[in-house]
mmCIF file of all heavy atoms in Angstrom:
data_model
loop_
_atom_site.group_PDB
_atom_site.id
_atom_site.type_symbol
_atom_site.label_atom_id
_atom_site.label_comp_id
_atom_site.label_asym_id
_atom_site.label_seq_id
_atom_site.Cartn_x
_atom_site.Cartn_y
_atom_site.Cartn_z
ATOM 1 N N MET A 1 -10.403 -7.301 -5.232
ATOM 2 C CA MET A 1 -9.107 -7.325 -4.506
ATOM 3 C C MET A 1 -8.245 -6.319 -4.951
ATOM 4 O O MET A 1 -8.237 -5.892 -6.116
ATOM 5 C CB MET A 1 -8.520 -8.780 -4.616
ATOM 6 C CG MET A 1 -9.258 -9.848 -3.965
ATOM 7 S SD MET A 1 -9.331 -9.662 -2.168
ATOM 8 C CE MET A 1 -7.664 -10.095 -1.691
ATOM 9 N N THR A 2 -7.381 -5.809 -4.125
ATOM 10 C CA THR A 2 -6.376 -4.764 -4.510
ATOM 11 C C THR A 2 -5.209 -5.011 -3.730
ATOM 12 O O THR A 2 -5.160 -5.937 -2.741
ATOM 13 C CB THR A 2 -6.934 -3.360 -4.379
ATOM 14 O OG1 THR A 2 -6.020 -2.506 -5.024
ATOM 15 C CG2 THR A 2 -7.279 -3.031 -3.007
ATOM 16 N N THR A 3 -4.164 -4.207 -3.910
ATOM 17 C CA THR A 3 -2.957 -4.232 -3.228
ATOM 18 C C THR A 3 -2.607 -2.878 -2.675
ATOM 19 O O THR A 3 -3.177 -1.897 -3.226
ATOM 20 C CB THR A 3 -1.831 -4.787 -4.004
ATOM 21 O OG1 THR A 3 -1.539 -4.025 -5.111
ATOM 22 C CG2 THR A 3 -2.086 -6.218 -4.464
ATOM 23 N N GLY A 4 -1.547 -2.755 -1.761
ATOM 24 C CA GLY A 4 -1.220 -1.520 -1.269
ATOM 25 C C GLY A 4 0.051 -1.692 -0.432
ATOM 26 O O GLY A 4 0.583 -2.894 -0.238
ATOM 27 N N VAL A 5 0.482 -0.580 0.120
ATOM 28 C CA VAL A 5 1.662 -0.587 0.979
ATOM 29 C C VAL A 5 1.423 0.304 2.208
ATOM 30 O O VAL A 5 0.815 1.324 2.133
ATOM 31 C CB VAL A 5 2.910 -0.004 0.269
ATOM 32 C CG1 VAL A 5 4.161 -0.115 1.217
ATOM 33 C CG2 VAL A 5 3.219 -0.790 -0.952
ATOM 34 N N VAL A 6 1.852 -0.237 3.376
ATOM 35 C CA VAL A 6 1.862 0.492 4.618
ATOM 36 C C VAL A 6 3.178 0.828 4.977
ATOM 37 O O VAL A 6 4.058 0.028 5.072
ATOM 38 C CB VAL A 6 1.244 -0.252 5.754
ATOM 39 C CG1 VAL A 6 1.334 0.494 7.114
ATOM 40 C CG2 VAL A 6 -0.152 -0.695 5.555
ATOM 41 N N TYR A 7 3.482 2.161 5.084
ATOM 42 C CA TYR A 7 4.865 2.692 5.348
ATOM 43 C C TYR A 7 4.693 3.270 6.763
ATOM 44 O O TYR A 7 4.064 4.315 6.994
ATOM 45 C CB TYR A 7 5.256 3.782 4.398
ATOM 46 C CG TYR A 7 5.426 3.488 2.994
ATOM 47 C CD1 TYR A 7 4.263 3.760 2.208
ATOM 48 C CD2 TYR A 7 6.586 2.898 2.475
ATOM 49 C CE1 TYR A 7 4.336 3.380 0.941
ATOM 50 C CE2 TYR A 7 6.482 2.657 1.169
ATOM 51 C CZ TYR A 7 5.404 2.922 0.251
ATOM 52 O OH TYR A 7 5.524 2.557 -1.064
ATOM 53 N N ASP A 50 3.812 -4.641 2.386
ATOM 54 C CA ASP A 50 2.946 -4.747 1.241
ATOM 55 C C ASP A 50 1.759 -5.551 1.579
ATOM 56 O O ASP A 50 1.928 -6.704 2.381
ATOM 57 C CB ASP A 50 3.738 -5.444 0.179
ATOM 58 C CG ASP A 50 4.806 -4.494 -0.435
ATOM 59 O OD1 ASP A 50 4.496 -3.384 -0.679
ATOM 60 O OD2 ASP A 50 5.938 -5.023 -0.416
ATOM 61 N N TRP A 51 0.533 -5.191 1.245
ATOM 62 C CA TRP A 51 -0.638 -5.955 1.613
ATOM 63 C C TRP A 51 -1.472 -6.342 0.401
ATOM 64 O O TRP A 51 -1.480 -5.563 -0.622
ATOM 65 C CB TRP A 51 -1.495 -5.278 2.749
ATOM 66 C CG TRP A 51 -1.897 -3.795 2.285
ATOM 67 C CD1 TRP A 51 -1.262 -2.709 2.546
ATOM 68 C CD2 TRP A 51 -3.061 -3.574 1.596
ATOM 69 N NE1 TRP A 51 -2.024 -1.719 2.026
ATOM 70 C CE2 TRP A 51 -3.111 -2.086 1.405
ATOM 71 C CE3 TRP A 51 -4.228 -4.316 1.142
ATOM 72 C CZ2 TRP A 51 -4.128 -1.538 0.876
ATOM 73 C CZ3 TRP A 51 -5.180 -3.598 0.428
ATOM 74 C CH2 TRP A 51 -5.129 -2.170 0.271
ATOM 75 N N THR A 52 -2.403 -7.238 0.478
ATOM 76 C CA THR A 52 -3.450 -7.602 -0.451
ATOM 77 C C THR A 52 -4.628 -7.808 0.266
ATOM 78 O O THR A 52 -4.661 -8.389 1.411
ATOM 79 C CB THR A 52 -2.978 -9.090 -1.072
ATOM 80 O OG1 THR A 52 -1.772 -8.860 -1.795
ATOM 81 C CG2 THR A 52 -4.028 -9.339 -2.208
ATOM 82 N N GLY A 53 -5.757 -7.256 -0.206
ATOM 83 C CA GLY A 53 -7.010 -7.303 0.426
ATOM 84 C C GLY A 53 -8.173 -6.663 -0.314
ATOM 85 O O GLY A 53 -7.910 -6.246 -1.412
ATOM 86 N N PRO A 54 -9.296 -6.630 0.235
ATOM 87 C CA PRO A 54 -10.424 -6.000 -0.525
ATOM 88 C C PRO A 54 -10.285 -4.517 -0.630
ATOM 89 O O PRO A 54 -9.536 -3.855 0.180
ATOM 90 C CB PRO A 54 -11.673 -6.425 0.391
ATOM 91 C CG PRO A 54 -11.194 -7.318 1.441
ATOM 92 C CD PRO A 54 -9.754 -7.197 1.444
ATOM 93 N N VAL A 55 -11.068 -4.023 -1.596
ATOM 94 C CA VAL A 55 -11.042 -2.565 -1.877
ATOM 95 C C VAL A 55 -11.516 -1.813 -0.482
ATOM 96 O O VAL A 55 -12.455 -2.396 0.142
ATOM 97 C CB VAL A 55 -11.991 -2.122 -3.015
ATOM 98 C CG1 VAL A 55 -12.264 -0.661 -3.108
ATOM 99 C CG2 VAL A 55 -11.475 -2.619 -4.362
ATOM 100 N N GLY A 56 -10.993 -0.772 -0.152
ATOM 101 C CA GLY A 56 -11.268 -0.175 1.183
ATOM 102 C C GLY A 56 -10.344 -0.491 2.361
ATOM 103 O O GLY A 56 -10.509 0.037 3.403
ATOM 104 N N THR A 57 -9.504 -1.420 2.092
ATOM 105 C CA THR A 57 -8.557 -1.891 3.173
ATOM 106 C C THR A 57 -7.689 -0.755 3.640
ATOM 107 O O THR A 57 -7.376 -0.619 4.894
ATOM 108 C CB THR A 57 -7.671 -3.107 2.753
ATOM 109 O OG1 THR A 57 -8.582 -4.130 2.509
ATOM 110 C CG2 THR A 57 -6.778 -3.532 3.837
ATOM 111 N N ALA A 58 -7.269 0.133 2.821
ATOM 112 C CA ALA A 58 -6.282 1.229 3.230
ATOM 113 C C ALA A 58 -7.003 2.099 4.320
ATOM 114 O O ALA A 58 -6.465 2.568 5.122
ATOM 115 C CB ALA A 58 -5.841 1.995 2.008
ATOM 116 N N ALA A 59 -8.242 2.384 3.983
ATOM 117 C CA ALA A 59 -9.082 3.250 4.824
ATOM 118 C C ALA A 59 -9.251 2.715 6.215
ATOM 119 O O ALA A 59 -9.087 3.225 7.273
ATOM 120 C CB ALA A 59 -10.477 3.520 4.235
ATOM 121 N N ILE A 75 -0.170 5.098 3.957
ATOM 122 C CA ILE A 75 -0.904 3.815 3.420
ATOM 123 C C ILE A 75 -1.312 4.157 1.927
ATOM 124 O O ILE A 75 -1.994 5.079 1.760
ATOM 125 C CB ILE A 75 -1.975 3.433 4.277
ATOM 126 C CG1 ILE A 75 -1.597 3.325 5.727
ATOM 127 C CG2 ILE A 75 -2.607 2.153 3.680
ATOM 128 C CD1 ILE A 75 -2.584 3.078 6.659
ATOM 129 N N THR A 76 -0.937 3.312 1.058
ATOM 130 C CA THR A 76 -1.397 3.411 -0.257
ATOM 131 C C THR A 76 -2.352 2.230 -0.632
ATOM 132 O O THR A 76 -2.199 1.167 0.079
ATOM 133 C CB THR A 76 -0.333 3.378 -1.284
ATOM 134 O OG1 THR A 76 0.370 2.083 -1.234
ATOM 135 C CG2 THR A 76 0.668 4.516 -1.110
ATOM 136 N N GLU A 77 -3.329 2.488 -1.474
ATOM 137 C CA GLU A 77 -4.112 1.418 -2.041
ATOM 138 C C GLU A 77 -4.191 1.580 -3.508
ATOM 139 O O GLU A 77 -4.532 2.664 -4.095
ATOM 140 C CB GLU A 77 -5.567 1.576 -1.434
ATOM 141 C CG GLU A 77 -6.480 0.323 -2.017
ATOM 142 C CD GLU A 77 -7.822 0.297 -1.250
ATOM 143 O OE1 GLU A 77 -7.904 0.123 -0.016
ATOM 144 O OE2 GLU A 77 -8.826 0.308 -1.973
ATOM 145 N N ASP A 78 -3.811 0.639 -4.316
ATOM 146 C CA ASP A 78 -3.657 0.704 -5.660
ATOM 147 C C ASP A 78 -5.079 0.671 -6.379
ATOM 148 O O ASP A 78 -6.074 0.076 -5.832
ATOM 149 C CB ASP A 78 -2.914 -0.483 -6.255
ATOM 150 C CG ASP A 78 -1.508 -0.575 -5.837
ATOM 151 O OD1 ASP A 78 -0.968 0.491 -5.629
ATOM 152 O OD2 ASP A 78 -0.964 -1.669 -5.727
ATOM 153 N N PRO A 79 -5.175 1.350 -7.554
ATOM 154 C CA PRO A 79 -6.529 1.420 -8.226
ATOM 155 C C PRO A 79 -6.957 -0.061 -8.618
ATOM 156 O O PRO A 79 -6.041 -0.812 -8.794
ATOM 157 C CB PRO A 79 -6.233 2.262 -9.388
ATOM 158 C CG PRO A 79 -4.875 2.793 -9.205
ATOM 159 C CD PRO A 79 -4.205 2.148 -8.177
ATOM 160 N N SER A 80 -8.201 -0.281 -8.601
ATOM 161 C CA SER A 80 -8.596 -1.540 -9.105
ATOM 162 C C SER A 80 -9.964 -1.259 -10.095
ATOM 163 O O SER A 80 -10.291 -0.021 -10.280
ATOM 164 C CB SER A 80 -9.149 -2.397 -7.935
ATOM 165 O OG SER A 80 -9.940 -1.782 -7.143
ATOM 166 N N ASP A 81 -10.460 -2.360 -10.625
ATOM 167 C CA ASP A 81 -11.581 -2.046 -11.642
ATOM 168 C C ASP A 81 -12.705 -1.133 -10.986
ATOM 169 O O ASP A 81 -13.343 -1.407 -10.117
ATOM 170 C CB ASP A 81 -12.128 -3.402 -11.989
ATOM 171 C CG ASP A 81 -11.282 -4.230 -12.842
ATOM 172 O OD1 ASP A 81 -10.379 -3.734 -13.409
ATOM 173 O OD2 ASP A 81 -11.550 -5.451 -12.907
ATOM 174 N N GLY A 82 -12.770 0.114 -11.681
ATOM 175 C CA GLY A 82 -13.869 0.994 -11.207
ATOM 176 C C GLY A 82 -13.553 1.756 -10.056
ATOM 177 O O GLY A 82 -14.488 2.487 -9.573
ATOM 178 N N VAL A 83 -12.481 1.647 -9.402
ATOM 179 C CA VAL A 83 -12.208 2.295 -8.147
ATOM 180 C C VAL A 83 -10.726 3.011 -8.254
ATOM 181 O O VAL A 83 -9.814 2.321 -8.659
ATOM 182 C CB VAL A 83 -12.180 1.317 -7.017
ATOM 183 C CG1 VAL A 83 -11.815 1.923 -5.634
ATOM 184 C CG2 VAL A 83 -13.434 0.484 -6.914
ATOM 185 N N ASP A 84 -10.788 4.285 -7.946
ATOM 186 C CA ASP A 84 -9.466 5.016 -7.831
ATOM 187 C C ASP A 84 -8.685 4.492 -6.795
ATOM 188 O O ASP A 84 -9.117 3.912 -5.800
ATOM 189 C CB ASP A 84 -9.751 6.541 -7.642
ATOM 190 C CG ASP A 84 -10.335 7.199 -8.796
ATOM 191 O OD1 ASP A 84 -10.183 6.733 -9.929
ATOM 192 O OD2 ASP A 84 -11.076 8.206 -8.612
ATOM 193 N N GLY A 85 -7.433 4.776 -6.883
ATOM 194 C CA GLY A 85 -6.482 4.472 -5.675
ATOM 195 C C GLY A 85 -6.489 5.465 -4.602
ATOM 196 O O GLY A 85 -7.166 6.463 -4.796
ATOM 197 N N GLU A 86 -5.875 5.288 -3.518
ATOM 198 C CA GLU A 86 -5.940 6.205 -2.351
ATOM 199 C C GLU A 86 -4.520 6.331 -1.827
ATOM 200 O O GLU A 86 -3.810 5.288 -1.845
ATOM 201 C CB GLU A 86 -7.012 5.709 -1.282
ATOM 202 C CG GLU A 86 -8.327 5.791 -1.741
ATOM 203 C CD GLU A 86 -9.340 5.365 -0.627
ATOM 204 O OE1 GLU A 86 -9.185 4.287 -0.081
ATOM 205 O OE2 GLU A 86 -10.087 6.279 -0.111
ATOM 206 N N ARG A 87 -4.315 7.431 -1.123
ATOM 207 C CA ARG A 87 -3.124 7.481 -0.227
ATOM 208 C C ARG A 87 -3.509 8.230 1.020
ATOM 209 O O ARG A 87 -4.273 9.236 0.997
ATOM 210 C CB ARG A 87 -1.976 8.286 -0.846
ATOM 211 C CG ARG A 87 -0.821 8.523 -0.009
ATOM 212 C CD ARG A 87 0.464 8.816 -0.646
ATOM 213 N NE ARG A 87 0.378 10.045 -1.581
ATOM 214 C CZ ARG A 87 0.830 11.278 -1.197
ATOM 215 N NH1 ARG A 87 1.582 11.513 -0.064
ATOM 216 N NH2 ARG A 87 0.662 12.278 -2.026
ATOM 217 N N PHE A 88 -3.184 7.753 2.055
ATOM 218 C CA PHE A 88 -3.400 8.273 3.437
ATOM 219 C C PHE A 88 -2.131 8.591 4.007
ATOM 220 O O PHE A 88 -1.069 7.696 3.910
ATOM 221 C CB PHE A 88 -4.243 7.308 4.378
ATOM 222 C CG PHE A 88 -5.603 6.868 3.913
ATOM 223 C CD1 PHE A 88 -5.719 5.902 2.983
ATOM 224 C CD2 PHE A 88 -6.593 7.585 4.403
ATOM 225 C CE1 PHE A 88 -7.021 5.612 2.525
ATOM 226 C CE2 PHE A 88 -7.898 7.360 4.014
ATOM 227 C CZ PHE A 88 -8.125 6.296 3.060
ATOM 228 N N GLY A 99 -6.022 11.370 -0.106
ATOM 229 C CA GLY A 99 -6.151 11.791 -1.496
ATOM 230 C C GLY A 99 -6.483 10.551 -2.382
ATOM 231 O O GLY A 99 -6.018 9.570 -2.102
ATOM 232 N N SER A 100 -7.204 10.890 -3.401
ATOM 233 C CA SER A 100 -7.317 9.891 -4.456
ATOM 234 C C SER A 100 -6.154 9.920 -5.291
ATOM 235 O O SER A 100 -5.664 10.910 -5.632
ATOM 236 C CB SER A 100 -8.637 10.106 -5.294
ATOM 237 O OG SER A 100 -9.794 10.083 -4.665
ATOM 238 N N THR A 101 -5.795 8.754 -5.870
ATOM 239 C CA THR A 101 -4.602 8.630 -6.676
ATOM 240 C C THR A 101 -4.955 7.911 -8.048
ATOM 241 O O THR A 101 -5.761 7.152 -8.062
ATOM 242 C CB THR A 101 -3.414 7.910 -5.921
ATOM 243 O OG1 THR A 101 -3.863 6.549 -5.578
ATOM 244 C CG2 THR A 101 -3.010 8.625 -4.667
ATOM 245 N N SER A 102 -4.131 8.292 -8.967
ATOM 246 C CA SER A 102 -4.250 7.765 -10.301
ATOM 247 C C SER A 102 -3.454 6.527 -10.345
ATOM 248 O O SER A 102 -2.801 6.191 -9.350
ATOM 249 C CB SER A 102 -3.831 8.753 -11.415
ATOM 250 O OG SER A 102 -2.346 8.962 -11.239
ATOM 251 N N ALA A 103 -3.370 5.832 -11.483
ATOM 252 C CA ALA A 103 -2.657 4.570 -11.661
ATOM 253 C C ALA A 103 -1.156 4.817 -11.372
ATOM 254 O O ALA A 103 -0.457 4.006 -10.990
ATOM 255 C CB ALA A 103 -2.828 3.948 -13.086
ATOM 256 N N ASN A 104 -0.595 6.022 -11.746
ATOM 257 C CA ASN A 104 0.814 6.234 -11.388
ATOM 258 C C ASN A 104 1.104 6.855 -10.190
ATOM 259 O O ASN A 104 2.296 7.100 -9.767
ATOM 260 C CB ASN A 104 1.422 7.151 -12.621
ATOM 261 C CG ASN A 104 0.993 8.560 -12.469
ATOM 262 O OD1 ASN A 104 0.039 8.901 -11.659
ATOM 263 N ND2 ASN A 104 1.396 9.376 -13.256
ATOM 264 N N GLY A 105 0.063 6.965 -9.259
ATOM 265 C CA GLY A 105 0.329 7.459 -7.908
ATOM 266 C C GLY A 105 0.080 9.020 -7.730
ATOM 267 O O GLY A 105 0.229 9.425 -6.587
ATOM 268 N N TRP A 157 5.434 -8.884 3.530
ATOM 269 C CA TRP A 157 4.069 -9.057 2.689
ATOM 270 C C TRP A 157 3.030 -9.549 3.730
ATOM 271 O O TRP A 157 3.241 -10.556 4.343
ATOM 272 C CB TRP A 157 4.284 -9.991 1.661
ATOM 273 C CG TRP A 157 4.733 -9.308 0.382
ATOM 274 C CD1 TRP A 157 6.079 -9.339 -0.096
ATOM 275 C CD2 TRP A 157 3.934 -8.758 -0.601
ATOM 276 N NE1 TRP A 157 6.059 -8.640 -1.330
ATOM 277 C CE2 TRP A 157 4.827 -8.295 -1.667
ATOM 278 C CE3 TRP A 157 2.510 -8.562 -0.755
ATOM 279 C CZ2 TRP A 157 4.385 -7.674 -2.809
ATOM 280 C CZ3 TRP A 157 2.185 -7.933 -2.006
ATOM 281 C CH2 TRP A 157 3.075 -7.542 -2.929
#
Side-chain angles (χ1 to χ4, degrees):
M1 296 294 286
T2 189
T3 59
V5 182
V6 176
Y7 302 93
D50 290 309
W51 60 267
T52 300
V55 171
T57 297
I75 302 170
T76 64
E77 182 168 305
D78 297 330
S80 53
D81 289 340
V83 181
D84 292 331
E86 294 184 298
R87 179 165 53 106
F88 295 86
S100 294
T101 56
S102 64
N104 70 351
W157 272 95

